[in-house]
Amino acid sequence: MEKLRKIDKVVNLAKTRGFIFPSSEIYGGLNSIYDYGPLGVELKNNIKKAWWDYMVAQENVVGLDSAILMHPKIWEASGHVEGFTDPLVDCKKCKGRFRADHLLEQNGIKPDFNPKDAKALKDIKCPECGGQLTEVRQFNLMFKTFMGPVEAKASQIYIRPETAQGIYTNFLNVMDSQRLKIPFGIAQIGKAFRNEITPGNFIFRMREFEQMEMQYFVQKKDTTKVFNDWKKLRMDWYLDLGVNKNNLKFRDHGKDELAHYAKKAVDIEYNFDFSKNETFKELEGIHDRGDWDLSQHQKHSNAKLTVRDENNKEYIPHIVETSGGVDRATLAFLMDVYEEIEGGRTTTTKSTKDVEVVLKLDKRLAPIKIAILPLSKKENLSKLAKQVFKSLASHYRTMYDETQAIGRRYRRQDEIGTPYCVTVDFESLEDKKVTVRDRDTMKQDRVAIAELEQYFKDKF
Ligand code: ATP
């Protein structure tokens, strides 16, 4: 039997331990839409908080939370109505639908689609059934809906496919209200929607997902330095949160890959290892977008979006953007720490000869920080254990678990990445101390209950 890949194991763990569930599952699911369960929402919130705290702590970066629905003209100005398309081909035989650029990539032809590549597609057959493929059609990825009671073209609006446009259109509001001067940045986290032709690879490519974007407004002369600074800062963020540096790399976009307005672009890629041919894939992009975005909005809205430089000369700011996916980051963090230990880590009991799973998530990201585990369900022990739980739960996300043998409970916490387990035993009743076990070293400390709060303050 073929060995399971790490991604399959992570998908399984995510489902069974309550990180991520397929959406609408009791109705058979909805293709590539996912829900975050009790542990998933904690993990995702911790990732977003880590990003937010890091980004708005940088010089001159402020936050924003703009609406998902926006004026439809915004998407004309941004080029999305015209150009936010993917090249689509259908199989004439099995009716399967594929992205032409992905088919080319799978056949070893350069990954980014360009009309000239249509010729190369002639020799490619349907990967599912070997059937003939149709000509390439451009397919717009934006979801549409209607605003108000009339379902007519005039009331048609789009559900945003990226968060960035909300930042551009609020550029002046933010600058004026905060009395900011160029250079400054605006950070935003929010949902985005794309009607992807071939979603997949779990939460890597979904139709509803979340982005963490920051747009930095600069003078043209400063763009190269700012671009390089952000490139480093963004890589450092993943490294600081514990991602293995061998699983991360930069990939510069080639000239023919760049959007027509973009000056420079680099991706931070993570080794997702989805299959033999799909290893390093985009996690986040850092883009020098020139003055294209604000110029377009100035043109289409008639609002003046210029500022003045030190010589009082008017200009449209240039933009360096960092654009990452919350879900892709979640998947990368999960995959990076997923570890299986054959035969288990414990040597003191017989029952540990199977495979143990440990998620060595950074403490800041771990969904549950501390688990309280009374050694038995006896009333006097639970009473003390619940007191300990209460004192810690208001400071840290804490779980109380009293079912099954203590070894099993430790392993359940290891599997979800809980950094510390606190065991309350019969001695605790006498000496008012508990045992704190460290997830990674498995070392145990005997700590006075009265000193637990300070003990964890030092740990977190
Ligand atoms: P790709 O080439 O993989 O489609 P992209 O270059 O279109 O991605 P951007 O438009 O630059 O992506 O979006 C910024 C970030 O948003 C990406 O780096 C990714 O992390 C995230 N993202 C984009 N599309 C999706 C999606 N369908 N599902 C999940 N995350 C996504």
Side-chain angles (χ1 to χ4, degrees):
M1 209 174 78
E2 204 189 328
K3 260 181 74 182
L4 278 184
R5 289 192 101 83
K6 198 193 252 185
I7 177 67
D8 302 317
K9 294 173 181 173
V10 168
V11 172
N12 184 39
L13 180 87
K15 169 83 199 294
T16 55
R17 303 313 313 273
F19 283 90
I20 300 162
F21 309 125
S23 161
S24 323
E25 200 180 9
I26 58 170
Y27 287 92
L30 185 63
N31 194 3
S32 290
I33 309 280
Y34 288 92
D35 298 333
Y36 284 77
L39 298 187
V41 66
E42 297 289 348
L43 173 61
K44 193 158 84 140
N45 282 344
N46 292 341
I47 292 170
K48 289 193 278 186
K49 184 172 183 330
W51 185 88
W52 189 263
D53 289 347
Y54 181 84
M55 297 302 276
V56 298
Q58 305 298 333
E59 214 176 318
N60 285 340
V61 177
V62 294
L64 180 77
D65 183 10
S66 68
I68 288 174
L69 302 179
M70 287 185 264
H71 198 291
K73 275 195 175 162
I74 287 174
W75 305 107
E76 286 171 24
S78 68
H80 282 78
V81 170
E82 177 73 24
F84 193 56
T85 55
D86 272 340
L88 169 75
V89 288
D90 294 295
C91 171
K92 291 180 183 165
K93 196 163 142 206
C94 73
K95 308 292 172 214
R97 237 171 215 184
F98 310 95
R99 261 176 70 171
D101 52 338
H102 288 175
L103 288 184
L104 288 171
E105 192 179 352
Q106 283 155 19
N107 282 276
I109 301 166
K110 74 168 182 315
D112 281 275
F113 193 79
N114 149 348
K116 279 186 274 163
D117 294 334
K119 251 215 222 117
L121 264 172
K122 282 227 156 57
D123 301 324
I124 294 175
K125 297 271 181 289
C126 170
E128 303 286 333
C129 74
Q132 277 250 307
L133 299 173
T134 59
E135 295 281 301
V136 178
R137 279 182 292 136
Q138 292 296 335
F139 173 76
N140 197 299
L141 302 187
M142 281 198 293
F143 281 99
K144 300 183 191 87
T145 188
F146 298 97
M147 195 148 104
V150 187
E151 291 198 6
K153 183 84 184 156
S155 54
Q156 181 186 292
I157 56 169
Y158 300 97
I159 307 180
R160 73 176 175 201
E162 61 173 35
T163 56
Q165 299 303 325
I167 296 181
Y168 305 144
T169 51
N170 275 297
F171 158 71
L172 280 185
N173 283 336
V174 171
M175 189 175 72
D176 293 346
S177 66
Q178 305 306 299
R179 303 162 51 81
L180 289 164
K181 290 209 159 36
I182 303 283
F184 70 90
I186 305 178
Q188 161 156 254
I189 299 177
K191 287 257 175 153
F193 301 79
R194 296 182 187 178
N195 199 2
E196 300 273 1
I197 298 170
T198 44
N201 284 331
F202 194 34
I203 55 170
F204 178 84
R205 189 178 302 286
M206 300 192 285
R207 291 191 169 119
E208 172 177 343
F209 58 100
E210 233 171 330
Q211 289 187 312
M212 314 186 269
E213 295 198 299
M214 192 279 319
Q215 313 288 325
Y216 208 73
F217 300 87
V218 288
Q219 288 197 33
K220 185 178 179 191
K221 64 180 169 58
D222 297 327
T223 44
T224 303
K225 176 174 184 321
V226 168
F227 180 90
N228 289 331
D229 289 349
W230 278 111
K231 184 176 157 183
K232 176 169 185 324
L233 280 166
R234 291 308 307 143
M235 181 61 103
D236 286 350
W237 184 76
Y238 292 102
L239 293 172
D240 177 59
L241 286 169
V243 179
N244 180 342
K245 71 175 188 320
N246 298 324
N247 286 331
L248 287 165
K249 71 175 185 198
F250 286 119
R251 189 180 73 82
D252 283 310
H253 284 214
K255 278 261 174 297
D256 51 351
E257 236 183 289
L258 287 176
H260 65 91
Y261 52 85
K263 303 273 179 287
K264 207 168 166 193
V266 63
D267 287 342
I268 296 177
E269 294 191 332
Y270 179 76
N271 183 10
F272 286 103
D273 196 29
F274 292 133
S275 68
K276 230 171 58 208
N277 301 323
E278 289 186 299
T279 54
F280 280 89
K281 313 256 309 164
E282 175 178 339
L283 193 54
E284 164 157 359
I286 296 113
H287 309 128
D288 171 357
R289 305 179 57 99
D291 62 359
W292 194 80
D293 303 286
L294 292 184
S295 303
Q296 283 293 104
H297 286 304
Q298 171 159 296
K299 197 164 109 196
H300 286 255
S301 67
N302 287 325
K304 200 167 158 192
L305 298 177
T306 53
V307 295
R308 286 181 187 278
D309 70 8
E310 48 284 5
N311 303 317
N312 214 22
K313 205 171 148 236
E314 271 188 77
Y315 71 99
I316 290 183
H318 282 231
I319 291 170
V320 172
E321 141 186 282
T322 72
S323 174
V326 179
D327 313 274
R328 283 192 195 176
T330 304
L331 184 58
F333 285 122
L334 274 176
M335 289 189 69
D336 209 65
V337 296
Y338 182 95
E339 198 182 324
E340 284 184 348
I341 296 143
E342 289 287 338
R345 296 195 293 174
T346 318
T347 48
T348 46
T349 57
K350 283 197 295 261
S351 61
T352 50
K353 293 301 163 210
D354 43 0
V355 174
E356 280 182 22
V357 171
V358 186
L359 282 192
K360 288 189 180 165
L361 280 168
D362 184 278
K363 287 178 203 167
R364 290 164 289 181
L365 301 184
I368 305 292
K369 311 292 182 202
I370 303 166
I372 311 293
L373 314 175
L375 205 61
S376 107
K377 282 191 205 167
K378 290 240 161 60
E379 207 187 311
N380 49 353
L381 264 199
S382 336
K383 198 169 154 216
L384 181 61
K386 280 190 178 146
Q387 277 170 14
V388 174
F389 172 79
K390 242 180 142 177
S391 72
L392 292 173
S394 54
H395 302 287
Y396 307 99
R397 200 67 70 239
T398 308
M399 189 183 266
Y400 187 89
D401 184 6
E402 59 178 15
T403 57
Q404 296 186 316
I406 190 74
R408 294 280 289 269
R409 280 184 273 160
Y410 279 148
R411 265 176 279 150
R412 271 210 297 268
Q413 295 301 326
D414 289 345
E415 259 182 40
I416 62 172
T418 306
Y420 298 104
C421 289
V422 173
T423 328
V424 182
D425 55 27
F426 289 103
E427 250 183 271
S428 307
L429 294 171
E430 307 299 322
D431 67 1
K432 302 282 179 263
K433 288 182 175 173
V434 288
T435 302
V436 181
R437 172 198 182 259
D438 181 298
R439 175 195 68 198
D440 301 340
T441 61
M442 289 169 69
K443 275 221 188 92
Q444 307 202 345
D445 282 344
R446 193 79 185 160
V447 182
I449 294 171
E451 283 162 23
L452 260 188
E453 253 187 70
Q454 189 55 47
Y455 177 88
F456 284 122
K457 236 188 211 158
D458 297 341
K459 294 284 184 192
F460 285 105

